[in-house]
Amino acid sequence: MKTVKNQSEPGQRSFGAGLRIIRESKKLSLRQVEEATGISNAYLSQLENDKIKKPSPHFLHKLAQIYNIGYELLMESAGYVQKRMDTEGPKTLAGAALFSVSQLTPEEEGKLAEYLAFLRAKKK
């Protein structure tokens, strides 16, 4: 398997920051993730703070399961495989966090839609 450099595109969060967003969106503590996956909270903290440059694919698989996001997306975000833009679904870890939150209130959905419109208007 060819390893691809783990590099964020401009405007995107780091891999660790993306993992933190997902965990926090699930309202999970590092200890809760440790208990569910067997991955030490020290390792998880190092991942979220980008101190581990080459995370274990085995651990990424466990995180994909508990966070309810695609393993392939984690492998792409960690730099193990080349990103494929022809796939459906979220393209970033932040997008995966939002995609996996199944119970947004109507107010939250509205605020997210407003913010997305604001971001897209800034690009023009």
Side-chain angles (χ1 to χ4, degrees), residues 11-115:
Q12 287 189 339
R13 292 173 179 84
S14 69
F15 177 70
L19 287 177
R20 181 180 301 110
I21 288 169
I22 293 169
R23 178 178 58 78
E24 290 174 349
S25 76
K26 301 287 186 184
K27 296 182 169 74
L28 294 170
S29 69
L30 288 173
R31 295 249 184 235
Q32 290 171 316
V33 175
E34 176 184 39
E35 289 172 11
T37 63
I39 304 169
S40 77
N41 68 52
Y43 187 92
L44 293 166
S45 177
Q46 290 176 348
L47 272 177
E48 289 185 1
N49 289 299
D50 295 311
K51 293 187 177 173
I52 295 177
K53 300 299 179 196
K54 208 167 184 184
S56 163
H58 178 70
F59 288 166
L60 294 179
H61 188 265
K62 288 182 174 191
L63 292 174
Q65 290 177 322
I66 190 170
Y67 293 156
N68 193 30
I69 61 171
Y71 174 63
E72 297 79 13
L73 178 61
L74 281 182
M75 290 294 285
E76 289 172 1
S77 298
Y80 281 103
V81 295
Q82 190 71 28
K83 291 186 184 241
R84 293 182 357 199
M85 299 315 257
D86 61 339
T87 59
E88 290 186 22
K91 309 276 189 279
T92 66
L93 293 179
L98 289 173
F99 190 74
S100 68
V101 177
S102 61
Q103 296 183 1
L104 292 175
T105 66
E107 181 181 346
E108 290 171 330
E109 286 180 9
K111 292 292 183 187
L112 284 172
E114 287 175 18
Y115 187 63

Side-chain angles (χ1 to χ4, degrees), residues 1-5 79-82:
M1 177 187 311
K2 181 180 175 186
T3 301
V4 180
K5 188 175 179 183
Y80 281 103
V81 295
Q82 190 71 28

